Amino acid sequence: MSRFGKSLHQRWDEDDESDDDDLLILAGLIEGSKRNKRKKNFRGSLPGRHSVRRGILGGHDGIFRDYFADPCIYNNKHFRRRFWMSKTLFLRIVAAVESHDDYFRQKPNAVGALGASPIQKSIAAVRMLAYDVSADFLDDYVRLGESTIIECLKYFVKAIVEVFNEQYLRAPNAEDTARFMAINHARGWPGMLGSIDCMHWKWDKCPTAWRGAYTGHKDGPTMILEAVASQDLWIWHAFFDLPGSLNDVNVLRRSPLFQSLTSGTAPELEYIVNGNKYNIGYYLADGIYPPWATFVKAFHSPQGNKKTYFTRAQQAARKDVERAFGVLQSRFTMVRGPARLWSKEDLWYIMQCCVLLHNMIVEDEREEPDDFNYHQEPNGIRVLKPKDYERRDPLLLNDFLKIHEEIEDRSSHERLRDDLVEHLWARYSAR
């Protein structure tokens, strides 16, 4: 190739390279212009987010002036109506969670400014539970950000469960059993331990892949709470997190309700109904539950005055657990409306926390009549502590199977129900 042609080819290559460089420079300028535009809106930790100077200490001062100062703006009656508990109980809860979890202690941040107080964090969590409001709705009162309020809720419910679970959601001991057996004996139900039923909690944020497993006869996916309640609305047993596609019998088969009875750690009791002696307490249940010795159900189609009266009395007494569900949902609206969290673990802690707070409120507001002795032993009723708890192995197969046979004995169920029919009719006739 000639010298002239070779130099011309080189110039074409150089022009191509310069064009590529120009394109790269132009792309860089365009990207830089976009960054500059985004930079103008940068006001916080993320592009486009405005940094809010909330005044966290001012939020604490406002709460303190409203409810805890002397004198305060809103009295104890206002506090009870807005938080569903007394001020004394609330301060006791705040002290307990603060001593249990370092998260609730007021600490300085990186620049030395004090953060939120334990009262601020606890009020944010309790108001979310009580009113089922969004975290952003509480920002202008407690002066905490949305993510911080959600974090407070998760830490609060976990601390409540870890601190109070053994005390306020325990299996009934001998004293507890004697107490509500005496109450139920006075109501006409000797040997009754409470009433049992299930409640559904709608899960709004259920993952799509799980919706089929969690959808049953209710509208949309739900999770089930199995509970046993007494007349004073105390919830003695709470089993939660099973999918809503199950019915009450499926939940019962997975429930630890009879764990203390099968392991030999339940209090020993004896009571007499219509002249016959029984040594296993029972729960009032609706028609779906199996005909076991531990359940007393109403007649589906009662015939005669005795069975008709028994059915009405059983349905009236069984409303104890329905009333407990109603009060639980009215106190904590979060468990009445759809659950808007993604994690099953978070929902479990929220439900357990609400049940524990419910029992704490029941204990705090319980008014016992002075003329009734809850520790009395009515005629024919005896409650003792388990004698062989220290030396019996609860995993012995023969004892385990024997107790299960006694629990699921259909003939004992029918015999007990017939005796209760006669017992209640005799009480009704004696009036």
Side-chain angles (χ1 to χ4, degrees), residues 84-358:
W84 294 104
M85 66 182 71
S86 65
K87 188 187 301 184
T88 304
L89 177 59
F90 176 79
L91 292 177
R92 174 190 165 200
I93 292 172
V94 172
V97 298
E98 182 183 4
S99 62
H100 174 74
D101 194 340
D102 184 68
Y103 173 82
F104 290 93
R105 298 174 186 172
Q106 191 173 27
K107 300 180 289 292
N109 58 17
V111 297
L114 285 176
S117 67
I119 290 179
Q120 271 178 283
K121 297 176 181 178
S122 299
I123 279 187
V126 171
R127 283 210 163 181
M128 284 195 69
L129 295 174
Y131 295 102
D132 193 25
V133 294
S134 63
D136 189 62
F137 181 82
L138 300 173
D139 183 6
D140 56 351
Y141 181 68
V142 298
R143 291 295 191 269
L144 297 175
E146 179 182 3
S147 60
T148 304
I149 293 176
I150 295 176
E151 187 180 49
C152 289
L153 174 67
K154 293 181 180 181
Y155 276 97
F156 181 81
V157 296
K158 188 173 182 180
I160 291 294
V161 172
E162 292 175 352
V163 174
F164 297 106
N165 190 68
E166 292 186 2
Q167 180 180 359
Y168 287 96
L169 201 53
R170 66 183 186 276
N173 54 30
E175 290 76 15
D176 298 327
T177 304
R179 178 178 176 273
F180 53 72
M181 283 193 68
I183 296 175
N184 293 326
H185 181 271
R187 299 171 65 192
W189 296 94
M192 173 182 164
L193 300 176
S195 53
I196 183 173
D197 205 353
C198 290
M199 181 188 83
H200 288 254
W201 186 19
K202 187 174 181 179
W203 189 7
D204 189 57
K205 298 297 183 181
C206 177
T208 303
W210 296 357
R211 295 185 74 87
Y214 282 82
T215 303
H217 67 281
K218 299 290 184 178
D219 183 19
T222 60
M223 300 179 72
I224 301 176
L225 169 68
E226 180 192 69
V228 171
S230 56
Q231 185 189 22
D232 60 355
L233 306 183
W234 185 288
I235 298 177
W236 291 98
H237 163 76
F239 178 56
F240 176 76
D241 80 348
L242 291 183
S245 59
L246 304 179
N247 58 26
D248 295 4
V249 178
N250 303 139
V251 176
L252 177 67
R253 291 291 186 179
R254 296 161 173 79
S255 170
L257 176 61
F258 300 115
Q259 183 176 1
S260 60
L261 185 60
T262 56
S263 62
T265 60
E268 297 180 354
L269 56 91
E270 288 182 359
Y271 59 95
I272 298 175
V273 183
N274 196 34
N276 295 322
K277 182 183 293 186
Y278 298 90
N279 57 10
I280 296 181
Y282 60 86
Y283 303 96
L284 299 185
D286 57 13
I288 193 174
Y289 282 88
W292 290 357
T294 50
F295 295 129
V296 170
K297 306 191 299 180
F299 292 97
H300 181 66
S301 299
Q303 301 293 327
N305 293 333
K306 293 182 179 180
K307 292 184 178 181
T308 301
Y309 176 74
F310 169 83
T311 299
R312 289 202 305 265
Q314 194 270 355
Q315 291 174 347
R318 192 180 62 82
K319 294 300 181 183
D320 292 344
V321 66
E322 300 289 350
R323 291 170 50 235
F325 286 152
V327 173
L328 176 68
Q329 291 178 331
S330 64
R331 282 176 174 162
F332 305 104
T333 311
M334 180 169 283
V335 299
R336 182 177 62 190
R340 296 185 177 90
L341 294 178
W342 296 92
S343 172
K344 287 178 58 180
E345 182 181 5
D346 292 338
L347 298 182
W348 183 87
Y349 274 112
I350 289 174
M351 180 60 75
Q352 293 290 112
C353 172
C354 291
V355 172
L356 290 170
L357 292 176
H358 168 83

Side-chain angles (χ1 to χ4, degrees), residues 69-87:
D70 188 16
C72 56
I73 298 176
Y74 303 102
N75 57 23
N76 294 339
K77 184 178 180 180
H78 291 101
F79 189 93
R80 166 66 180 81
R81 186 175 64 191
R82 293 172 183 174
F83 294 93
W84 294 104
M85 66 182 71
S86 65
K87 188 187 301 184

